[in-house]
Amino acid sequence: MSKSTMKFKTEVSQLLELVTHSLYSNKEIFIRELVSNASDALDKIRLEGLKDKKLLEGNDDLKIKIDFNKDAGTITITDTGIGMTKEELIDNIGTIAKSGTKEFFNKLKEMKESEDKQAELIGQFGVGFYSAFIVSEKIVINTRKAGKGNEPVRWESDGKEKFTIDTSDRTERGTEITLYLNKEDVDFASEWKIKDIVKKYSDYITYPIQMTIEREEKPKDKDGKEIEGAEAVTTYKDETINSQKAIWQKAKKDVKKEEYNEFYRHISHDYDEPLERIHLNVEGILSYKALLYLPKKAPYDLFMREAKIGVSLYVRNVFIMDDNKHLLPEYMRFVKGVVDSADLPLNVSREILQEDKTLDKIQKNLVKKILETLKKMKEKDTEKYIEFYTEFGKVLKEGIYTDFENKDKLTDLILFESTKTEEGKVTSFAEYVERMPENQTEIYYITGESRKSLENSPHLEKFKQKDYEVLFFTDPIDEFIVNGLTEYKEKKLKSVGKGEVDLSDEKEKEENKKKKESDKKKYGSLLDSIKDALKDDIKEVRISSRLTSSAVCLVSDENDISPHMEKIFKSMNQEIPRSKRILELNPNHPILEVMQSIYDNDKKDTKLGEYSELLYDQAVLAEGAPLKDPVKFAHRMADLMVFEGKTKVTKK
Ligand code: ADP
């Protein structure tokens, strides 16, 4: 390998500049980031080593070493981890590898946020290695990847535009990173400073973090007593400076809030504190420890395909695997944390886990605990729960149709706006049911894009008149929920835009029935002629029981797919056959009388067809949907205005 100079990708240079400026007030985190990377690299070699013992040959001592040199102003962090090849080094350090980070970073640049805010946002993504440039004018990496024949590589950069790649003389497996500290940052090259920072941020790292401690000591005699008059000599001793005590193994009372939060930052790359934590120590037939966190903010990739399960599996303090689909169901992918089981073998593989019943039981237990925590939060600290729900409610809803066993519990956790809540305020099914008037038997909802677009829907008229509450289902996922959730506490869920709606009491029903029959007789042939005029768009025309002021509305059959759902499918590029809808007419609206008299006068009057189409267009508009032919509609409206205006003028 000959020495070559390469340029950082533009975004890396920009990120470096931003990082060095915006994280200025919190410089010391570079140690946490580098130690965290070293710990990950050790996890990797340990796992690979289980599969292929040869990889660990020559050095099975898995550890991190921190050295410093005050005079030279350097700090060196070395690990016996997996190491990197030349390609990996270029890929990992020279580019922003994670696609989401890149997108996020580009957005951040445009945002012009304050530096504090930027630091916080950047922290969410874990700037990792780059944070070392906050304190360094130059960084040198020497690394050799595990495995025979892998050539050691040397990387060097001042963190501005370029880096060089060269052959290294490193013989051991692993990575050594040397920071040449800025003049104003040489204070970091101190035993106490480093010890302090490691204690603060990295104490729980499960591998030993060692330091060579230098002391001036007087020689001792055979009893251990200092020899008087003898000259002091310099001694060097390797000391482990972290307790290595996995935080989840400790008793709750022995863990400080700060430690919990630091650990959360380590596993989540989130700069913020968690919203809630759950620390479990389960003993019995099943025994495991778990430390789970609910974040405050949803990560950018929560709904992307690559979203991972945020809980890792450990066996007796040793990291086994992350993104484990057996530990938590997918709809709980937002939970971060670790689960440590003493009942599994260390060399457990994904395949074995699939068969293993232990994990199934642990999963059940964890889900139960998480749901209990949320329930409690909802009852005791509603504000906090709403903060959580605003970020993660959508994911939780997925559980309603994927986790049959917990459907009821989840249903109690979801919230909606309704015709009886103020804008932006939410209510639950339980509260809805409590408010139901005695004679109301079903739970009503309306689906659509937003509360605004639904609030004045003709479908709500009768409900408003009756003072019945209607829930706004405005999340695309809500349409899917109702497929799995047909009732709540034995009360059927009913869409106000589907099927027949009759909110009358028994006595009224009788009268309505009679009135409907007479209307049918009276308007029957007219309705047939309207249906004929609109046969391409609708399958039926009928007299409505749900309208009080509007002339018309469109409804679907009970089992038809709703137009909102059709739209959702379309947005996912899935074509589904369009289902024709039903046009309902308000029997108390004068338009019906008008049309009837035109019909009586001349069944073939072209106005009938035109009015039918106008009625249909009105119904479409009232739903906030686009018209098929808006120009035609506009012309017709203009003609009508002229006609009406003229009639009025002649009358005078
Ligand atoms: P992150 O740790 O968030 O992935 P970093 O910029 O800190 O981001 O590191 C980028 C990548 O470089 C890591 O994902 C890892 O693949 C590699 N890396 C960093 N430090 C080490 C190390 N000490 N040993 C092996 N690989 C490392």
Side-chain angles (χ1 to χ4, degrees):
M1 193 190 312
S2 60
K3 183 168 175 171
S4 55
T5 302
M6 300 172 97
K7 265 184 109 155
F8 284 119
K9 292 257 163 68
T10 341
E11 69 262 17
V12 176
S13 299
Q14 288 167 337
L15 179 67
L16 279 167
E17 208 183 299
L18 189 62
V19 167
T20 37
H21 283 98
S22 59
L23 291 180
Y24 215 70
S25 57
N26 201 8
K27 288 179 174 184
E28 61 188 26
I29 58 147
F30 72 93
I31 292 193
R32 167 185 81 191
E33 297 297 320
L34 296 182
V35 165
S36 186
N37 281 348
S39 165
D40 289 347
L42 288 161
D43 278 343
K44 283 184 198 151
I45 187 65
R46 208 196 48 74
L47 274 181
E48 294 292 316
L50 287 175
K51 286 183 236 154
D52 179 3
K53 284 211 164 53
K54 277 201 210 102
L55 285 175
L56 287 171
E57 255 170 31
N59 192 355
D60 57 4
D61 191 11
L62 301 185
K63 66 176 185 198
I64 300 165
K65 180 100 195 296
I66 306 183
D67 295 296
F68 63 91
N69 184 329
K70 231 185 184 104
D71 302 327
T74 59
I75 295 181
T76 303
I77 299 183
T78 314
D79 64 67
T80 53
I82 188 98
M84 285 176 273
T85 62
K86 177 182 165 189
E87 288 70 31
E88 283 169 337
L89 196 49
I90 294 171
D91 279 354
N92 294 336
I93 310 283
T95 51
I96 304 179
K98 287 168 280 180
S99 61
T101 312
K102 195 163 151 183
E103 264 166 47
F104 171 79
F105 175 65
N106 286 335
K107 260 199 220 128
L108 189 65
K109 274 190 306 186
E110 290 159 18
M111 275 181 351
K112 302 235 173 329
E113 297 279 358
S114 69
E115 285 197 353
D116 277 358
K117 186 78 189 160
Q118 286 198 340
E120 184 187 314
L121 291 170
I122 270 214
Q124 282 184 19
F125 287 86
V127 280
F129 171 77
Y130 299 120
S131 63
F133 278 111
I134 308 173
V135 292
S136 314
E137 55 183 31
K138 182 173 93 178
I139 299 179
V140 175
I141 305 176
N142 280 293
T143 179
R144 195 173 74 74
K145 172 97 175 182
K148 260 213 168 95
N150 280 325
E151 216 184 335
V153 211
R154 183 180 190 278
W155 180 100
E156 179 182 326
S157 174
D158 61 3
K160 300 235 156 55
E161 281 170 20
K162 297 183 204 129
F163 59 92
T164 60
I165 291 275
D166 201 354
T167 311
S168 159
D169 54 9
R170 185 174 174 80
T171 49
E172 270 198 77
R173 176 197 73 228
T175 304
E176 171 203 272
I177 300 179
T178 302
L179 315 181
Y180 292 82
L181 300 167
N182 298 326
K183 278 199 184 62
E184 66 270 26
D185 295 314
V186 286
D187 284 354
F188 281 108
S190 124
E191 177 190 335
W192 301 109
K193 194 122 192 178
I194 295 172
K195 270 186 174 170
D196 260 6
I197 301 174
V198 168
K199 262 266 164 283
K200 184 162 158 198
Y201 296 108
S202 313
D203 193 54
Y204 52 81
I205 294 285
T206 44
Y207 302 97
I209 303 173
Q210 295 187 336
M211 235 169 132
T212 307
I213 306 293
E214 182 187 325
R215 291 277 180 274
E216 297 287 318
E217 279 177 9
K218 291 207 167 150
K220 290 177 181 138
D221 63 19
K222 58 181 189 325
D223 299 326
K225 269 200 195 141
E226 276 180 13
I227 303 170
E228 242 172 87
E231 264 206 37
V233 286
T234 315
T235 62
Y236 299 92
K237 236 195 274 162
D238 279 353
E239 204 178 273
T240 298
I241 57 174
N242 60 328
S243 76
Q244 277 174 269
K245 182 102 175 129
I247 188 165
W248 59 89
Q249 299 282 10
K250 293 188 184 176
K252 272 190 222 178
K253 64 173 175 36
D254 296 333
V255 190
K256 289 196 216 88
K257 186 173 170 219
E258 264 321 301
E259 286 177 82
Y260 274 128
N261 289 353
E262 260 324 313
F263 182 65
Y264 168 71
R265 285 183 188 135
H266 168 65
I267 55 168
S268 69
H269 291 273
D270 185 352
Y271 194 78
D272 225 339
E273 285 183 10
L275 183 75
E276 182 75 42
R277 64 164 186 270
I278 307 169
H279 190 169
L280 302 171
N281 181 354
V282 179
E283 307 254 0
I285 313 169
L286 193 66
S287 85
Y288 69 89
K289 307 241 168 42
L291 179 52
L292 307 177
Y293 297 89
L294 308 182
K296 275 191 184 158
K297 290 262 172 289
Y300 66 94
D301 64 352
L302 191 60
F303 291 98
M304 292 186 190
R305 206 168 296 216
E306 61 263 34
K308 286 182 170 178
I309 300 282
V311 175
S312 307
L313 176 69
Y314 281 66
V315 170
R316 276 160 277 151
N317 280 358
V318 174
F319 171 80
I320 302 294
M321 65 183 75
D322 59 5
D323 193 22
N324 193 304
K325 301 254 183 314
H326 302 286
L327 270 185
L328 279 183
E330 240 168 277
Y331 74 93
M332 286 199 167
R333 58 186 175 274
F334 56 87
V335 181
K336 304 273 181 211
V338 302
V339 173
D340 193 324
S341 154
D343 301 332
L344 290 168
L346 266 179
N347 58 354
V348 69
S349 65
R350 277 184 205 272
E351 291 70 38
I352 294 176
L353 281 179
Q354 249 157 30
E355 312 275 296
D356 198 285
K357 291 277 164 284
T358 322
L359 269 205
D360 281 351
K361 286 183 205 140
I362 293 182
Q363 183 192 101
K364 259 198 188 123
N365 241 303
L366 293 177
V367 171
K368 193 170 144 224
K369 290 285 177 203
I370 294 168
L371 291 177
E372 273 170 14
T373 306
L374 291 174
K375 180 170 182 241
K376 215 159 112 196
M377 197 194 291
K378 181 167 167 278
E379 284 161 7
K380 302 250 154 73
D381 192 348
T382 315
E383 221 169 276
K384 188 168 167 187
Y385 181 74
I386 289 180
E387 191 183 338
F388 162 81
Y389 189 80
T390 313
E391 293 291 316
F392 300 106
K394 271 197 182 81
V395 208
L396 220 51
K397 286 176 185 170
E398 289 174 15
I400 293 188
Y401 57 87
T402 55
D403 185 356
F404 190 73
E405 220 171 291
N406 291 300
K407 193 166 98 179
D408 290 346
K409 286 183 187 162
L410 284 161
T411 308
D412 269 322
L413 285 172
I414 59 176
L415 304 169
F416 302 97
E417 289 196 38
S418 88
T419 49
K420 293 218 167 151
T421 66
E422 281 171 43
E423 202 174 331
K425 294 271 182 306
V426 280
T427 188
S428 64
F429 279 116
E431 287 164 347
Y432 178 101
V433 169
E434 213 163 278
R435 277 193 294 267
M436 271 167 72
E438 217 176 299
N439 49 1
Q440 184 185 338
T441 51
E442 296 172 315
I443 295 173
Y444 299 106
Y445 66 87
I446 182 165
T447 60
E449 241 158 63
S450 66
R451 177 181 182 137
K452 268 229 141 39
S453 70
L454 295 173
E455 243 164 359
N456 295 317
S457 162
H459 294 153
L460 292 178
E461 288 173 6
K462 200 73 185 186
F463 295 86
K464 282 183 189 159
Q465 192 191 44
K466 279 263 168 192
D467 200 31
Y468 283 0
E469 183 171 4
V470 179
L471 298 169
F472 292 119
F473 281 11
T474 49
D475 247 352
I477 195 172
D478 294 342
E479 288 265 6
F480 294 92
I481 293 183
V482 284
N483 287 339
L485 188 75
T486 47
E487 55 179 52
Y488 175 80
K489 302 247 159 91
E490 286 164 21
K491 309 246 176 331
K492 279 216 161 55
L493 259 71
K494 183 155 171 46
S495 161
V496 300
K498 280 188 174 180
E500 299 249 21
V501 161
D502 190 355
L503 303 181
S504 343
D505 56 34
E506 288 310 312
K507 209 175 112 222
E508 287 171 328
K509 263 196 183 121
E510 207 39 53
E511 283 167 22
N512 283 354
K513 212 172 138 196
K514 277 190 206 139
K515 167 112 177 29
K516 230 177 184 169
E517 267 159 28
S518 80
D519 280 342
K520 233 184 198 163
K521 251 189 221 147
K522 189 168 158 197
Y523 299 119
S525 329
L526 173 67
L527 298 190
D528 284 343
S529 109
I530 298 177
K531 183 180 164 187
D532 201 43
L534 299 173
K535 60 179 179 299
D536 290 343
D537 296 306
I538 57 166
K539 59 178 173 190
E540 194 187 333
V541 180
R542 68 183 180 212
I543 297 292
S544 182
S545 320
R546 44 161 68 83
L547 296 175
T548 60
S549 57
S550 296
V552 278
C553 72
L554 283 165
V555 300
S556 308
D557 253 340
E558 207 72 67
N559 298 317
D560 279 352
I561 209 160
S562 77
H564 183 230
M565 188 78 145
E566 255 175 43
K567 231 166 138 186
I568 295 170
F569 275 119
K570 261 201 192 128
S571 71
M572 299 191 300
N573 279 333
Q574 285 188 33
E575 277 305 325
I576 45 160
R578 182 169 161 244
S579 53
K580 285 190 188 173
R581 301 178 66 205
I582 300 161
L583 187 78
E584 285 199 356
L585 295 171
N586 181 352
N588 303 317
H589 198 286
I591 186 86
L592 216 66
E593 290 284 348
V594 171
M595 285 182 80
Q596 185 64 44
S597 56
I598 302 176
Y599 183 83
D600 289 342
N601 197 30
D602 175 9
K603 287 190 192 40
K604 300 228 153 55
D605 194 328
T606 49
K607 269 209 174 58
L608 282 171
E610 278 179 27
Y611 280 19
S612 302
E613 285 181 22
L614 267 174
L615 279 176
Y616 176 74
D617 283 351
Q618 281 178 46
V620 171
L621 279 178
E623 288 190 332
L627 292 177
K628 241 188 350 194
D629 191 344
V631 177
K632 201 164 163 189
F633 176 79
H635 279 248
R636 279 189 178 143
M637 282 305 286
D639 288 348
L640 264 183
M641 283 166 80
V642 172
F643 177 72
E644 229 233 346
K646 273 190 182 161
T647 332
K648 276 207 173 127
V649 175
T650 10
K651 261 187 196 159
K652 267 188 180 170

